[in-house]
Coordinates of all heavy atoms in Angstrom, one line a residue:
M32 N -63.4 46.9 79.8 CA -62.0 46.5 79.9 C -61.5 46.0 78.5 O -62.1 45.1 77.9 CB -61.9 45.4 80.9 CG -60.8 45.6 81.9 SD -60.9 44.4 83.2 CE -62.0 45.2 84.4
P33 N -60.4 46.6 78.1 CA -60.0 46.2 76.7 C -59.4 44.8 76.7 O -58.4 44.5 77.4 CB -59.0 47.3 76.3 CG -58.5 47.8 77.6 CD -59.6 47.6 78.7
I34 N -59.9 43.9 75.9 CA -59.3 42.6 75.6 C -58.9 42.6 74.1 O -59.7 42.9 73.3 CB -60.3 41.5 75.9 CG1 -60.7 41.5 77.3 CG2 -59.7 40.1 75.5 CD1 -61.8 40.5 77.7
Y35 N -57.7 42.4 73.9 CA -57.2 42.3 72.5 C -56.8 40.9 72.1 O -56.4 40.1 72.9 CB -56.0 43.3 72.4 CG -56.3 44.7 72.6 CD1 -55.6 45.4 73.6 CD2 -57.2 45.4 71.9 CE1 -55.9 46.7 73.9 CE2 -57.5 46.7 72.1 CZ -56.8 47.4 73.1 OH -57.1 48.7 73.4
E36 N -57.0 40.7 70.8 CA -56.6 39.4 70.3 C -55.3 39.6 69.5 O -55.2 40.5 68.7 CB -57.6 38.8 69.4 CG -57.3 37.4 68.9 CD -58.3 36.7 68.0 OE1 -59.3 37.4 67.6 OE2 -58.1 35.6 67.7
Y37 N -54.3 38.8 69.8 CA -53.0 39.0 69.2 C -52.7 37.7 68.4 O -53.1 36.6 68.7 CB -51.9 39.2 70.2 CG -52.0 40.5 70.9 CD1 -52.6 40.7 72.1 CD2 -51.3 41.6 70.4 CE1 -52.7 41.9 72.7 CE2 -51.3 42.9 71.0 CZ -52.0 43.0 72.2 OH -52.0 44.2 72.8
E38 N -51.9 37.9 67.3 CA -51.3 36.8 66.6 C -49.8 36.9 66.7 O -49.2 38.0 66.4 CB -51.7 36.8 65.1 CG -51.2 35.6 64.4 CD -51.6 35.5 62.9 OE1 -52.7 35.0 62.7 OE2 -50.9 36.1 62.1
C39 N -49.2 35.9 67.2 CA -47.7 35.8 67.3 C -47.1 35.8 66.0 O -47.4 35.0 65.1 CB -47.4 34.6 68.2 SG -45.6 34.4 68.3
S40 N -46.1 36.7 65.8 CA -45.3 36.7 64.6 C -44.3 35.6 64.5 O -43.8 35.2 63.4 CB -44.6 38.0 64.4 OG -45.5 39.1 64.4
G41 N -44.0 35.0 65.7 CA -43.1 33.9 65.7 C -43.7 32.6 65.3 O -43.1 31.9 64.4
C42 N -44.8 32.2 65.9 CA -45.4 30.9 65.7 C -46.8 30.9 65.2 O -47.4 29.9 64.9 CB -45.3 30.0 67.0 SG -46.4 30.6 68.3
G43 N -47.4 32.1 65.0 CA -48.7 32.2 64.5 C -49.8 31.9 65.5 O -51.0 31.9 65.1
H44 N -49.4 31.7 66.7 CA -50.4 31.4 67.8 C -51.3 32.6 68.0 O -50.7 33.7 68.1 CB -49.7 30.9 69.0 CG -50.6 30.7 70.2 ND1 -51.5 29.6 70.2 CD2 -50.8 31.3 71.4 CE1 -52.2 29.6 71.3 NE2 -51.8 30.6 72.0
R45 N -52.6 32.4 68.1 CA -53.5 33.5 68.4 C -54.0 33.4 69.9 O -54.4 32.3 70.3 CB -54.7 33.6 67.5 CG -54.2 33.9 66.1 CD -55.4 34.1 65.1 NE -54.9 34.4 63.8 CZ -55.7 34.8 62.8 NH1 -57.0 34.9 63.0 NH2 -55.2 35.1 61.6
F46 N -54.0 34.5 70.6 CA -54.5 34.5 71.9 C -55.1 35.9 72.3 O -54.9 36.9 71.6 CB -53.3 34.1 72.9 CG -52.2 35.1 72.8 CD1 -52.1 36.1 73.8 CD2 -51.3 35.1 71.8 CE1 -51.1 37.0 73.8 CE2 -50.2 36.0 71.8 CZ -50.1 36.9 72.8
E47 N -55.9 35.8 73.4 CA -56.5 37.1 73.9 C -55.7 37.6 75.0 O -55.1 36.8 75.8 CB -57.9 36.8 74.4 CG -58.8 36.4 73.2 CD -59.7 35.3 73.6 OE1 -60.1 35.2 74.8 OE2 -60.1 34.5 72.7
F48 N -55.6 38.9 75.1 CA -54.8 39.5 76.2 C -55.6 40.7 76.8 O -56.0 41.6 76.1 CB -53.4 40.0 75.6 CG -52.5 40.4 76.7 CD1 -51.7 39.5 77.4 CD2 -52.4 41.7 77.1 CE1 -50.9 39.9 78.4 CE2 -51.5 42.1 78.1 CZ -50.7 41.2 78.7
L49 N -55.8 40.6 78.1 CA -56.5 41.6 78.8 C -55.5 42.7 79.1 O -54.6 42.5 79.9 CB -57.2 41.0 80.0 CG -57.9 42.0 81.0 CD1 -59.1 42.7 80.3 CD2 -58.3 41.3 82.2
V50 N -55.8 43.9 78.6 CA -54.8 45.0 78.7 C -55.2 45.9 79.9 O -56.3 46.5 79.8 CB -54.7 45.8 77.4 CG1 -53.7 47.0 77.6 CG2 -54.3 45.0 76.3
L51 N -54.4 45.9 80.9 CA -54.6 46.8 82.1 C -53.5 47.7 82.1 O -52.4 47.5 81.6 CB -54.7 45.9 83.4 CG -55.8 44.9 83.4 CD1 -55.6 44.0 84.6 CD2 -57.2 45.5 83.5
P52 N -53.7 48.9 82.8 CA -52.6 49.9 83.0 C -51.3 49.2 83.6 O -50.2 49.6 83.3 CB -53.2 50.9 83.9 CG -54.6 50.8 83.7 CD -54.9 49.4 83.4
S53 N -51.6 48.2 84.4 CA -50.5 47.5 85.1 C -49.9 46.3 84.3 O -49.0 45.7 84.8 CB -50.9 47.1 86.5 OG -52.0 46.2 86.3
S54 N -50.6 46.0 83.2 CA -50.2 44.8 82.4 C -48.8 45.0 81.9 O -48.4 46.1 81.4 CB -51.1 44.6 81.3 OG -52.4 44.2 81.7
P55 N -48.0 43.9 81.9 CA -46.7 43.9 81.2 C -46.9 43.9 79.7 O -48.1 43.6 79.2 CB -46.0 42.7 81.7 CG -47.2 41.7 82.0 CD -48.3 42.6 82.5
T56 N -45.9 44.0 78.9 CA -46.0 43.8 77.5 C -46.5 42.4 77.2 O -45.9 41.5 77.7 CB -44.6 44.1 76.8 OG1 -44.1 45.3 77.3 CG2 -44.8 44.1 75.3
P57 N -47.5 42.3 76.4 CA -48.0 41.0 76.1 C -47.0 40.2 75.3 O -46.2 40.7 74.5 CB -49.3 41.2 75.2 CG -49.1 42.6 74.7 CD -48.3 43.4 75.7
E58 N -47.0 38.9 75.6 CA -46.1 38.0 74.8 C -46.8 36.7 74.6 O -47.8 36.4 75.2 CB -44.8 37.8 75.6 CG -45.0 37.1 77.0 CD -43.6 36.8 77.6 OE1 -42.7 37.6 77.5 OE2 -43.6 35.8 78.4
C59 N -46.3 36.0 73.5 CA -46.9 34.8 73.1 C -46.8 33.7 74.2 O -45.7 33.5 74.7 CB -46.3 34.3 71.9 SG -46.9 32.6 71.3
P60 N -47.9 33.1 74.6 CA -47.9 32.1 75.7 C -47.2 30.8 75.2 O -46.8 30.0 76.0 CB -49.3 31.8 76.0 CG -50.1 32.3 74.8 CD -49.3 33.4 74.2
E61 N -47.1 30.7 73.9 CA -46.5 29.5 73.3 C -45.0 29.6 73.2 O -44.2 28.6 73.5 CB -47.0 29.2 71.9 CG -48.5 28.9 71.9 CD -48.9 27.5 72.4 OE1 -48.2 26.6 72.0 OE2 -49.8 27.4 73.2
C62 N -44.5 30.7 72.8 CA -43.0 30.8 72.5 C -42.4 32.1 73.1 O -41.3 32.4 72.8 CB -42.7 30.7 71.0 SG -43.3 32.2 70.1
Q63 N -43.2 32.9 73.9 CA -42.7 34.1 74.5 C -42.3 35.2 73.6 O -41.5 36.1 74.0 CB -41.6 33.7 75.5 CG -42.1 33.1 76.8 CD -42.6 31.7 76.6 OE1 -41.9 30.8 76.1 NE2 -43.9 31.4 77.0
E64 N -42.7 35.0 72.3 CA -42.4 36.1 71.4 C -43.1 37.4 71.7 O -44.3 37.3 72.1 CB -42.8 35.6 70.0 CG -42.6 36.6 68.9 CD -41.2 37.0 68.6 OE1 -40.4 36.2 68.3 OE2 -40.9 38.2 68.8
K65 N -42.5 38.5 71.6 CA -43.1 39.8 71.9 C -43.5 40.5 70.6 O -44.1 41.6 70.7 CB -42.2 40.6 72.8 CG -42.2 40.1 74.2 CD -41.5 41.2 75.1 CE -41.5 40.8 76.6 NZ -40.7 39.5 76.9
D66 N -43.1 40.0 69.5 CA -43.5 40.6 68.2 C -44.9 40.1 67.8 O -45.0 39.0 67.2 CB -42.5 40.3 67.2 CG -42.7 41.0 65.8 OD1 -43.6 41.9 65.8 OD2 -42.1 40.6 64.8
L67 N -45.9 40.9 68.2 CA -47.3 40.4 68.0 C -48.1 41.3 67.1 O -47.8 42.5 67.1 CB -48.0 40.3 69.4 CG -47.3 39.5 70.5 CD1 -47.9 39.8 71.8 CD2 -47.3 38.1 70.2
K68 N -49.0 40.7 66.4 CA -49.9 41.5 65.6 C -51.3 41.6 66.3 O -51.8 40.6 66.6 CB -50.0 40.8 64.2 CG -50.7 41.6 63.2 CD -50.5 41.0 61.8 CE -51.2 39.7 61.7 NZ -51.1 39.1 60.3
R69 N -51.8 42.8 66.5 CA -53.1 42.9 67.1 C -54.1 42.7 66.1 O -54.1 43.4 65.1 CB -53.2 44.3 67.8 CG -54.3 44.2 68.9 CD -54.3 45.4 69.8 NE -55.0 46.5 69.1 CZ -55.0 47.8 69.5 NH1 -54.3 48.1 70.6 NH2 -55.7 48.7 68.9
L70 N -55.1 41.9 66.4 CA -56.1 41.5 65.3 C -57.4 42.3 65.5 O -57.7 43.1 64.6 CB -56.4 40.0 65.4 CG -55.2 39.1 65.2 CD1 -55.6 37.7 65.4 CD2 -54.7 39.3 63.8
I71 N -58.0 42.2 66.6 CA -59.3 42.9 66.8 C -59.4 43.4 68.2 O -58.8 42.9 69.1 CB -60.5 42.1 66.5 CG1 -60.4 40.7 67.2 CG2 -60.7 41.9 65.0 CD1 -61.7 39.9 67.2
S72 N -60.2 44.5 68.4 CA -60.5 45.0 69.7 C -61.8 44.5 70.1 O -62.9 44.9 69.6 CB -60.4 46.5 69.8 OG -60.9 46.9 71.0
L73 N -61.9 43.5 71.1 CA -63.1 43.0 71.5 C -64.0 43.9 72.3 O -65.2 43.8 72.4 CB -62.9 41.7 72.3 CG -62.3 40.5 71.5 CD1 -62.0 39.4 72.4 CD2 -63.2 40.1 70.4
C74 N -63.3 44.9 72.9 CA -64.1 45.9 73.7 C -64.9 46.8 72.9 O -65.8 47.5 73.4 CB -63.1 46.7 74.6 SG -62.1 47.8 73.7
A75 N -64.7 46.8 71.6 CA -65.5 47.6 70.7 C -66.9 47.1 70.5 O -67.8 47.7 70.1 CB -64.8 47.8 69.3
V76 N -67.1 45.8 70.9 CA -68.4 45.1 70.8 C -69.2 45.5 72.0 O -68.8 45.4 73.1 CB -68.2 43.6 70.7 CG1 -69.6 42.9 70.5 CG2 -67.3 43.2 69.5
S77 N -70.4 46.0 71.7 CA -71.2 46.6 72.8 C -71.9 45.5 73.7 O -71.9 45.6 74.9 CB -72.3 47.5 72.2 OG -73.0 46.8 71.2
S78 N -72.4 44.5 73.0 CA -73.2 43.5 73.8 C -72.2 42.5 74.5 O -71.3 42.0 73.9 CB -74.1 42.7 72.8 OG -74.4 41.5 73.3
E79 N -72.5 42.2 75.7 CA -71.7 41.3 76.5 C -71.9 39.9 75.9 O -70.9 39.2 75.8 CB -72.2 41.3 78.0 CG -71.4 40.4 78.9 CD -70.1 40.9 79.2 OE1 -69.8 42.1 79.0 OE2 -69.2 40.2 79.7
T80 N -73.1 39.5 75.5 CA -73.3 38.2 74.9 C -72.5 38.1 73.6 O -71.8 37.0 73.4 CB -74.8 38.0 74.5 OG1 -75.5 38.3 75.7 CG2 -75.1 36.6 74.1
T81 N -72.5 39.1 72.8 CA -71.7 39.1 71.5 C -70.2 38.9 71.8 O -69.5 38.2 71.2 CB -72.0 40.3 70.7 OG1 -73.3 40.5 70.6 CG2 -71.3 40.2 69.3
R82 N -69.8 39.6 72.9 CA -68.4 39.6 73.3 C -68.0 38.2 73.7 O -67.0 37.7 73.3 CB -68.1 40.6 74.4 CG -66.7 41.0 74.5 CD -66.5 41.9 75.7 NE -66.8 41.2 76.9 CZ -66.0 41.2 78.0 NH1 -65.0 42.0 78.0 NH2 -66.3 40.6 79.1
E83 N -68.9 37.5 74.5 CA -68.7 36.1 74.9 C -68.5 35.2 73.7 O -67.7 34.4 73.6 CB -69.8 35.7 75.8 CG -69.9 36.4 77.1 CD -68.9 35.8 78.1 OE1 -68.8 34.6 78.2 OE2 -68.3 36.6 78.8
A84 N -69.4 35.5 72.7 CA -69.4 34.7 71.5 C -68.1 34.9 70.7 O -67.5 33.9 70.2 CB -70.6 35.1 70.6
H85 N -67.7 36.1 70.7 CA -66.4 36.4 70.0 C -65.2 35.7 70.7 O -64.4 35.2 70.1 CB -66.1 37.9 70.0 CG -66.7 38.6 68.9 ND1 -65.9 39.0 67.8 CD2 -68.0 39.0 68.6 CE1 -66.7 39.6 66.9 NE2 -68.0 39.6 67.4
L86 N -65.3 35.7 72.1 CA -64.2 35.0 72.8 C -64.2 33.5 72.6 O -63.2 32.9 72.3 CB -64.4 35.3 74.3 CG -64.0 36.7 74.8 CD1 -64.5 36.9 76.2 CD2 -62.5 36.8 74.8
A87 N -65.4 33.0 72.5 CA -65.6 31.5 72.3 C -65.0 31.2 70.9 O -64.3 30.2 70.7 CB -67.0 31.1 72.4
K88 N -65.4 32.1 70.0 CA -65.0 31.9 68.6 C -63.4 32.0 68.5 O -62.8 31.2 67.8 CB -65.6 33.0 67.7 CG -65.7 32.6 66.2 CD -66.5 33.7 65.5 CE -66.4 33.5 64.0 NZ -67.1 34.6 63.3
A89 N -62.9 33.0 69.2 CA -61.4 33.2 69.2 C -60.7 31.9 69.8 O -59.7 31.5 69.3 CB -61.1 34.4 69.9
R90 N -61.3 31.4 70.8 CA -60.7 30.2 71.5 C -60.8 29.1 70.6 O -59.8 28.3 70.5 CB -61.5 29.9 72.8 CG -61.0 30.8 73.9 CD -61.5 30.2 75.3 NE -61.5 31.3 76.2 CZ -62.6 32.0 76.6 NH1 -63.7 31.7 76.1 NH2 -62.5 33.0 77.4
K91 N -61.9 28.9 69.9 CA -62.1 27.8 69.0 C -61.0 27.9 67.9 O -60.4 26.9 67.5 CB -63.5 27.8 68.4 CG -64.1 26.5 68.2 CD -65.5 26.6 67.7 CE -66.5 26.0 68.7 NZ -67.9 26.1 68.2
K92 N -60.8 29.1 67.4 CA -59.9 29.4 66.3 C -58.5 29.0 66.8 O -57.7 28.4 66.1 CB -59.9 30.9 66.0 CG -59.7 31.1 64.5 CD -60.0 32.6 64.2 CE -60.0 32.9 62.7 NZ -60.4 34.2 62.5
A93 N -58.2 29.4 68.0 CA -56.8 29.2 68.6 C -56.6 27.7 68.7 O -55.5 27.2 68.5 CB -56.7 29.8 70.0
D94 N -57.7 26.9 69.1 CA -57.6 25.5 69.3 C -57.3 24.9 67.9 O -56.5 24.0 67.7 CB -58.9 24.9 69.8 CG -59.0 25.2 71.3 OD1 -57.9 25.5 71.9 OD2 -60.1 25.0 71.9
A95 N -58.0 25.4 66.9 CA -57.9 24.9 65.5 C -56.5 25.1 65.0 O -55.9 24.2 64.4 CB -58.9 25.5 64.6
I96 N -55.9 26.2 65.4 CA -54.6 26.6 64.9 C -53.6 25.7 65.6 O -52.6 25.2 65.0 CB -54.3 28.1 65.2 CG1 -55.0 28.9 64.2 CG2 -52.8 28.3 65.1 CD1 -55.1 30.4 64.6
R97 N -53.8 25.4 66.9 CA -53.0 24.5 67.7 C -53.0 23.1 67.0 O -51.9 22.5 66.9 CB -53.4 24.4 69.1 CG -52.5 25.1 70.1 CD -52.7 24.7 71.5 NE -54.1 25.0 72.0 CZ -54.5 26.1 72.4 NH1 -53.7 27.1 72.5 NH2 -55.7 26.3 72.8
Q98 N -54.2 22.6 66.7 CA -54.3 21.3 66.1 C -53.7 21.3 64.7 O -53.4 20.2 64.2 CB -55.8 20.9 66.0 CG -56.3 20.6 67.3 CD -57.9 20.6 67.3 OE1 -58.5 20.6 66.3 NE2 -58.5 20.5 68.5
D99 N -53.5 22.5 64.1 CA -53.1 22.6 62.7 C -51.6 22.8 62.7 O -51.0 23.1 61.6 CB -53.8 23.7 62.1 CG -53.9 23.5 60.5 OD1 -54.1 22.3 60.1 OD2 -53.8 24.5 59.8
K100 N -50.9 22.6 63.8 CA -49.5 23.0 63.9 C -48.6 22.2 62.9 O -47.5 22.7 62.5 CB -49.0 22.9 65.3 CG -48.8 24.2 65.9 CD -48.1 24.2 67.2 CE -47.9 25.6 67.7 NZ -47.8 25.7 69.1
Q101 N -49.0 21.0 62.6 CA -48.2 20.2 61.7 C -48.2 20.8 60.3 O -47.3 20.5 59.5 CB -48.6 18.8 61.7 CG -50.0 18.5 61.2 CD -51.1 18.5 62.2 OE1 -51.0 19.3 63.2 NE2 -52.0 17.6 62.1
H102 N -49.2 21.6 60.0 CA -49.3 22.2 58.7 C -48.6 23.6 58.7 O -49.3 24.6 58.3 CB -50.7 22.3 58.2 CG -51.5 21.0 58.2 ND1 -51.0 19.9 57.5 CD2 -52.6 20.6 58.9 CE1 -51.9 18.9 57.8 NE2 -52.8 19.3 58.6
E103 N -47.4 23.7 59.0 CA -46.7 25.0 59.1 C -46.7 25.7 57.8 O -46.8 26.9 57.8 CB -45.3 24.7 59.6 CG -45.2 24.4 61.1 CD -45.7 25.5 62.0 OE1 -45.6 26.7 61.6 OE2 -46.1 25.2 63.1
E104 N -46.5 25.0 56.7 CA -46.3 25.6 55.4 C -47.6 26.3 55.0 O -47.7 27.4 54.6 CB -46.0 24.6 54.4 CG -44.5 24.3 54.4 CD -44.1 23.3 53.3 OE1 -44.8 23.2 52.3 OE2 -43.1 22.5 53.5
H105 N -48.7 25.6 55.2 CA -50.0 26.1 54.9 C -50.3 27.4 55.7 O -50.9 28.3 55.2 CB -51.1 25.1 55.2 CG -52.5 25.6 55.0 ND1 -53.1 25.8 53.8 CD2 -53.4 26.0 56.0 CE1 -54.3 26.3 54.0 NE2 -54.5 26.4 55.3
K106 N -50.0 27.3 57.0 CA -50.2 28.4 57.9 C -49.5 29.7 57.5 O -50.0 30.8 57.5 CB -49.8 28.0 59.3 CG -50.7 28.6 60.4 CD -50.5 28.0 61.7 CE -49.1 28.2 62.1 NZ -48.8 27.4 63.4
A107 N -48.2 29.5 57.1 CA -47.4 30.6 56.6 C -48.0 31.2 55.4 O -48.0 32.4 55.3 CB -46.0 30.1 56.4
L108 N -48.5 30.4 54.5 CA -49.1 30.8 53.3 C -50.3 31.7 53.7 O -50.6 32.7 53.1 CB -49.5 29.6 52.5 CG -49.8 29.8 51.0 CD1 -48.4 30.0 50.3 CD2 -50.4 28.6 50.4
H109 N -51.1 31.2 54.6 CA -52.3 31.8 55.0 C -52.0 33.2 55.6 O -52.7 34.2 55.4 CB -53.1 31.0 56.0 CG -54.4 31.5 56.4 ND1 -55.5 31.5 55.6 CD2 -54.8 32.1 57.6 CE1 -56.5 32.0 56.2 NE2 -56.2 32.4 57.4
A110 N -51.0 33.2 56.4 CA -50.6 34.5 57.1 C -50.3 35.6 56.1 O -50.6 36.7 56.3 CB -49.5 34.2 58.1
E111 N -49.7 35.2 55.0 CA -49.3 36.2 54.0 C -50.5 36.9 53.4 O -50.5 38.0 53.0 CB -48.5 35.5 52.9 CG -47.1 35.3 53.3 CD -46.4 34.4 52.2 OE1 -46.8 34.4 51.1 OE2 -45.3 33.8 52.6
H112 N -51.6 36.1 53.4 CA -52.8 36.7 52.8 C -53.8 37.3 53.8 O -54.9 37.7 53.5 CB -53.6 35.6 52.0 CG -52.8 35.1 50.9 ND1 -52.7 35.8 49.7 CD2 -52.1 34.0 50.7 CE1 -52.0 35.1 48.8 NE2 -51.6 34.0 49.4
D113 N -53.3 37.4 55.0 CA -54.1 38.0 56.1 C -54.3 39.5 55.9 O -53.4 40.2 55.8 CB -53.5 37.8 57.5 CG -54.4 36.9 58.3 OD1 -55.5 36.5 57.8 OD2 -54.1 36.7 59.5
Ligands
LIG259 ZN1 -45.5 32.4 69.5

C-alpha cells in the first residue's frame, strides 16, 4: 500500500499520506493547503521493519518541525536548499 510523505508548500509541515484509489486529494492537516511536495515513497522499502523505522523517523521529524515553528525564517532558508 503506497504511503507517501508530503511537505506542505504553505507551512512546511511534513506528513504521511496513505494513497488509496478512493483517497481524496491529500491536503496539509495543519493548514489544508493542497500544494504539496512529495518527498519519498515509503512503499519502495521492502522490509516491513525498515518501513516502520522510516515512519517513526518521519514522525519524529514532523514533531521536530512542529516544535521548530517559531523559527520560520530558518525553516524557509532550509526549504530553499532541499
Ligand atoms: Zn500546511
Side-chain angles (χ1 to χ4, degrees):
M32 227 173 271
I34 298 174
Y35 297 120
E36 186 181 5
Y37 289 93
E38 183 178 273
C39 173
S40 298
C42 69
H44 178 68
R45 290 187 182 189
F46 61 98
E47 293 138 30
F48 189 83
L49 175 64
V50 179
L51 300 170
S53 59
S54 291
T56 308
E58 60 177 35
C59 175
E61 297 285 314
C62 70
Q63 282 73 55
E64 174 64 63
K65 286 191 175 65
D66 185 10
L67 307 169
K68 190 167 70 179
R69 202 170 83 189
L70 300 176
I71 48 165
S72 172
L73 294 175
C74 69
V76 182
S77 54
S78 157
E79 183 73 17
T80 309
T81 309
R82 204 183 62 136
E83 294 280 317
H85 271 259
L86 283 168
K88 203 173 168 184
R90 278 195 203 97
K91 218 175 240 180
K92 213 170 192 177
D94 284 346
I96 287 168
R97 253 197 300 278
Q98 286 163 13
D99 208 34
K100 254 192 177 152
Q101 65 268 37
H102 304 303
E103 287 294 335
E104 279 180 29
H105 172 80
K106 214 168 59 186
L108 202 71
H109 186 72
E111 279 172 22
H112 294 284
D113 240 4

